[in-house]
Amino acid sequence: MQIKKLMIPAKVVALEYLLQRLHESHPKYSEIEADYARFLKGYRGEKAVAYYLNFLPDKKFYLFHSLRLPSGKSHFQMDHLLLTTRFALILECKNFFGTLFFDDSFNQMIRIANEKEEGFQDPISQAKWHQQQLKSFFHSRNISLPTDYFVVISNPSTIVKTNPQNRQALKKVIHGHSLLDKIAEADRMFQTELFDPKEVRNLGKRLLKSHVEEEFDALEKYRLRKSEILTGVRCPQCGRIPMIRKNRTWFCRECRTKDKNAHVSAVEDYFHLFGASITNKQFRDFVHLHSEDTAKRLLKSLNLPTKGANKGRKYLKP
């Protein structure tokens, strides 16, 4: 049973909107584009692993995707967490291509691809750290439940290697297509029933209640000023910015597209980039409108929740 469903990460969404409103010649564009590709690749890897988890019996396994829990003054986030009446299982997903070598001498992962060798943080150490954090979370709440973990390589064509003495990698690193078999092994290993079904459901609710969404401010992350963001309504057909307001509709001078509702996506862009509220003036400045009455009518048509009245009214992100 999925308690917390897999969603596209907020940072992936924010960077997608940012790239659409940043000129390709901007000095930060390449960096942002690379980060976007990396984050999106990670999400796709988690999604590929989630496919196999859908085959688990609903009444036996409770699934949490991207669960982010408090740990002291910080937080830790697990790609996937499986909760049962007998144990909890953490899945750390990695979406790499090429050949991966798990080096236990220096606790690192080496990737060889396109005749290039790169070093990465050891996913096993990362998964063990999440395991320790989850144990501490349970302990502080008087929850007694064994925990285990696997590192799951989502790309089936990725070659995984290690030395014969690295028993940890041989035991804990698996491909996605082996995941269900490994979960079955863990299920056989933990035999003691520690919770009844009702208690584990309540535990799942406690975990979900403790989840803290990660905040991601794209402008702050890349130290961008509002003035560096391209304003105006974006053409839904060719992507050109800005469209112009003409005869109660939006008109693209590049591809001649007309769209009465093109401002809707502009408001979404604004929310993702600048915050959870927008005023009439902010809307006019962003979409290049002069008429306060037209802006009021367009904003009202969106049926957004509001706060305040008259010129102090703010339209809120739903």
Side-chain angles (χ1 to χ4, degrees):
M1 180 183 297
Q2 291 196 45
I3 305 297
K4 184 178 181 300
K5 295 184 178 181
L6 182 62
M7 305 290 288
I8 299 178
K11 56 189 175 184
V12 172
V13 176
L15 293 188
E16 182 176 356
Y17 281 97
L18 178 58
L19 287 170
Q20 292 171 345
R21 289 191 173 271
L22 200 64
H23 200 281
E24 291 185 14
S25 63
H26 192 283
K28 294 285 184 71
Y29 190 91
S30 295
E31 177 189 355
I32 296 169
E33 189 176 42
D35 285 348
Y36 170 73
R38 179 165 54 87
F39 295 148
L40 182 60
K41 183 179 179 182
Y43 164 70
R44 286 173 174 168
E46 292 178 29
K47 189 176 180 181
V49 171
Y51 165 78
Y52 296 102
L53 298 177
N54 289 330
F55 292 96
L56 293 172
D58 279 350
K59 294 182 179 180
K60 192 171 184 179
F61 294 93
Y62 296 83
L63 307 180
F64 301 82
H65 303 290
S66 301
L67 185 67
R68 187 169 181 261
L69 299 175
S71 176
K73 296 181 180 180
S74 186
H75 299 85
F76 68 103
Q77 182 168 316
M78 297 164 285
D79 293 336
H80 303 290
L81 175 68
L82 275 65
L83 186 67
T84 77
T85 57
R86 289 175 278 127
F87 66 98
L89 183 66
I90 298 168
L91 303 178
E92 181 71 28
C93 303
K94 295 299 174 186
N95 188 8
F96 286 94
F97 70 95
T99 298
L100 304 180
F101 183 83
F102 286 80
D103 180 6
D104 59 338
S105 298
F106 297 98
N107 291 327
Q108 67 175 335
M109 184 183 73
I110 300 168
R111 194 266 294 273
I112 301 172
N114 298 328
E115 300 182 350
K116 181 180 179 181
E117 186 174 273
E118 298 176 273
F120 295 87
Q121 179 185 5
D122 178 26
I124 298 174
S125 299
Q126 190 176 0
K128 288 173 68 176
W129 172 245
H130 287 160
Q131 182 189 33
Q132 185 58 49
Q133 297 290 87
L134 184 61
K135 284 181 177 180
S136 298
F137 179 90
F138 283 163
H139 179 74
S140 65
R141 290 158 178 78
N142 297 316
I143 300 168
S144 180
L145 191 68
T147 63
D148 203 353
Y149 68 89
F150 289 116
V151 173
V152 188
I153 308 302
S154 61
N155 191 332
S157 64
T158 301
I159 299 171
V160 180
K161 293 184 177 181
T162 190
N163 61 63
Q165 291 75 39
N166 191 352
R167 298 180 61 186
Q168 202 165 46
L170 293 171
K171 183 179 180 182
K172 294 298 184 182
V173 180
I174 61 174
H175 273 105
H177 55 258
S178 302
L179 179 58
L180 294 179
D181 289 337
K182 287 295 183 179
I183 292 175
E185 286 182 18
D187 192 43
R188 289 192 294 270
M189 185 172 67
F190 297 101
Q191 292 292 321
T192 305
E193 294 283 348
L194 299 171
F195 296 103
D196 62 35
K198 183 178 180 180
E199 288 172 330
V200 80
R201 282 196 300 271
N202 289 336
L203 175 55
K205 291 178 182 178
R206 291 178 64 183
L207 288 172
L208 190 61
K209 189 175 181 179
S210 298
H211 169 75
V212 180
E213 286 291 343
E214 183 179 13
E215 295 181 359
F216 186 83
D217 187 327
L219 271 64
E220 181 180 344
K221 165 72 175 175
Y222 299 100
R223 298 182 181 179
L224 298 173
R225 300 184 300 273
K226 282 190 175 183
S227 59
E228 297 177 86
I229 304 302
L230 298 175
T231 59
V233 172
R234 179 163 40 89
C235 176
Q237 186 66 32
C238 70
R240 180 185 172 88
I241 298 173
M243 300 180 82
I244 61 172
R245 187 74 180 170
K246 188 176 180 180
N247 298 328
R248 298 176 68 89
T249 192
W250 299 100
F251 175 73
C252 178
R253 288 172 288 190
E254 182 71 19
C255 68
R256 319 297 289 181
T257 291
K258 294 180 180 180
D259 192 318
K260 290 185 177 181
N261 298 312
H263 60 280
V264 175
S265 62
V267 174
E268 291 177 1
D269 290 359
Y270 189 95
F271 283 148
H272 282 288
L273 294 175
F274 299 121
S277 68
I278 188 170
T279 65
N280 185 296
K281 185 180 186 310
Q282 289 169 335
F283 176 65
R284 281 183 280 133
D285 290 343
F286 191 66
V287 302
H288 302 180
L289 271 179
H290 298 293
S291 171
E292 186 174 344
D293 289 337
T294 299
K296 181 179 179 180
R297 178 171 55 81
L298 292 177
L299 285 169
K300 189 176 180 180
S301 70
L302 299 178
N303 295 317
L304 296 170
T306 61
K307 181 180 180 181
N310 301 321
K311 290 192 176 182
R313 177 178 285 117
K314 292 182 179 181
Y315 298 84
L316 308 179
K317 182 178 179 180

